[in-house]
Amino acid sequence: MEYLDFELPIKELEEQLDKCMIIGEESDVDVSETCKQIEKKLDETRKEIYKNLTPWQRVQLSRHPNRPYTLDYIRAICGDTFLELHGDRNVKDDKAMIGGLGKIGDQSYMFIGQQKGYNTKTRQYRNFGMANPEGYRKALRLMKSAEKFGIPVVTLIDTPGAYPGIEAEERGQGEAIARNILEMTRLQVPIIVAIIGEGASGGALGIGVGDKVLMLENTWYSVISPESCSSILWRSWEYKERAAEALKLTASDMKKLKLIDEIVKEPAGGAHTNREKTFEILKNKIASHYEELQKLSPKELVKQRMEKYANMGVFNG
């Protein structure tokens, strides 16, 4: 397990607990009481740290190297039923954007999401979760297929942004994202969006329009990353904590501003500390929201979705 700076007190207590248990196993000394005390202190410390996280600490947690990625969620939620689909039928298959059919119970869903890598090799292969225009066009192709067969769409957002390279611009990055936003507003099947990590800028919005938008507790959603905001405003990355605070990018900020529908609680310590529980929580949320949305006709779905987005940012003085 890797630890972030603010998690070091937890690391120390966990090491103490391990040592205590080793002493108990290797000698005749009864250390059960000491172990209990350390466990109690560990529990209290963990609660205290995660209860008072700053926006920047949540950004760090969303990027935790042990945090589950899109494919981890899909495989855990769908098991063997997941069938990955490839290509945008135009340029090529973008490895940063994945999608395919999978089931929760007896219900089929079209899953789409950005995928990051686990090490240097896979990070390059996945382009660090930054999709090219063909990635967004692949996502749109899959959404249109889902609409044709009446299958609900689930998108999982985890990206530092759309790929900003020259070749992406040449192939129409802005147009591809704008097209997706337009088409998603009028897609005639339920769309459930879940932000599972980083939700940065248009890269996130390209698959982020939905009837229900959920955000895991330790994720962020914003027009720009705190580092980039800091470098624009202060010409330095040093003010990233201040930028994170000002951007109002946490799940609770988003809920307060009515830009998302629900905050999904993570296990104590974040999604990476108990992956199975996190997968189960999200799986249940998707199923329950779909149950609610399937009662609406395609016309009602689109009308409600349009109204929801039209009302965002409206100020009543």
Side-chain angles (χ1 to χ4, degrees):
M1 175 70 79
E2 292 184 48
Y3 294 86
L4 300 168
D5 295 347
F6 61 89
E7 293 178 308
L8 290 179
I10 294 169
K11 184 188 178 185
E12 283 168 24
L13 285 165
E14 282 180 348
E15 283 170 356
Q16 281 177 32
L17 185 60
D18 287 342
K19 281 175 192 167
C20 185
M21 287 165 96
I22 289 165
I23 291 165
E25 283 165 16
E26 293 178 352
S27 66
D28 297 329
V29 182
D30 181 16
V31 291
S32 56
E33 197 51 47
T34 311
C35 284
K36 270 183 196 164
Q37 284 175 353
I38 297 170
E39 275 175 355
K40 191 184 173 196
K41 181 88 170 79
L42 178 62
D43 200 41
E44 285 168 2
T45 307
R46 194 177 270 132
K47 277 179 186 163
E48 194 56 38
I49 287 172
Y50 292 106
K51 195 173 69 183
N52 302 303
L53 289 176
T54 65
W56 173 245
Q57 285 169 339
R58 292 206 190 272
V59 171
Q60 287 178 289
L61 269 179
S62 76
R63 298 169 177 166
H64 200 289
N66 301 120
R67 196 174 173 86
Y69 295 142
T70 297
L71 271 175
D72 299 320
Y73 282 95
I74 292 174
R75 284 174 184 146
I77 289 170
C78 303
D80 298 334
T81 65
F82 181 62
L83 171 71
E84 191 175 348
L85 301 166
H86 300 272
D88 71 334
R89 300 289 183 271
N90 193 7
V91 178
K92 62 177 182 180
D93 184 39
D94 190 338
K95 307 297 182 194
M97 184 77 78
I98 58 124
L101 291 161
K103 283 187 171 186
I104 298 176
D106 294 328
Q107 176 61 48
S108 293
Y109 293 85
M110 182 66 82
F111 286 90
I112 297 163
Q114 289 104 350
Q115 176 66 24
K116 292 178 176 176
Y118 303 93
N119 52 34
T120 307
K121 193 179 175 182
T122 57
R123 280 177 195 131
Q124 286 176 324
Y125 178 72
R126 298 289 181 187
N127 200 29
F128 301 87
M130 296 187 290
N132 275 283
E134 52 270 25
Y136 292 99
R137 289 177 182 134
K138 168 163 85 168
L140 181 57
R141 180 177 79 80
L142 299 185
M143 286 183 230
K144 284 294 190 184
S145 294
E147 182 182 48
K148 185 178 175 183
F149 296 106
I151 296 167
V153 173
V154 175
T155 69
L156 303 173
I157 293 174
D158 187 11
T159 182
Y163 184 58
I166 291 170
E167 62 273 36
E169 292 301 323
E170 285 172 347
R171 290 198 296 275
Q173 185 71 286
E175 188 276 337
I177 291 170
R179 169 73 53 196
N180 277 24
I181 294 169
L182 169 68
E183 295 293 349
M184 285 182 90
T185 56
R186 59 191 189 190
L187 204 73
Q188 298 196 349
V189 288
I191 308 172
I192 298 164
V193 177
I195 295 143
I196 57 167
E198 300 185 272
S201 193
L205 277 181
I207 57 166
V209 178
D211 301 294
K212 293 291 175 188
V213 180
L214 321 176
M215 240 179 124
L216 264 69
E217 202 179 354
N218 297 310
T219 62
W220 63 276
Y221 198 18
S222 176
V223 70
I224 194 169
S225 72
E227 295 95 328
S228 301
C229 177
S230 172
S231 65
I232 290 169
L233 294 181
W234 292 284
R235 312 236 176 255
S236 158
W237 276 25
E238 275 177 43
Y239 301 92
K240 54 189 182 287
E241 285 99 333
R242 200 165 144 193
E245 191 81 42
L247 283 166
K248 302 279 180 242
L249 42 65
T250 65
S252 52
D253 290 324
M254 289 287 122
K255 185 80 173 80
K256 220 175 280 175
L257 294 165
K258 297 186 177 144
L259 298 175
I260 62 160
D261 299 289
E262 189 181 348
I263 299 168
V264 178
K265 283 275 181 199
E266 291 182 25
H272 61 283
T273 58
N274 191 340
R275 286 169 160 237
E276 282 65 38
K277 193 178 176 187
T278 310
F279 298 148
E280 195 58 34
I281 291 168
L282 190 61
K283 179 182 176 177
N284 294 336
K285 290 285 178 195
I286 292 167
S288 67
H289 280 298
Y290 173 64
E291 213 173 291
E292 195 185 309
L293 293 168
Q294 70 171 337
K295 294 169 188 166
L296 301 171
S297 69
K299 206 172 179 180
E300 287 171 323
L301 260 181
V302 174
K303 184 173 180 282
Q304 217 174 80
R305 196 184 304 144
M306 292 272 201
E307 281 172 2
K308 174 185 164 179
Y309 281 89
N311 289 332
M312 282 182 184
V314 172
F315 177 72
N316 298 313

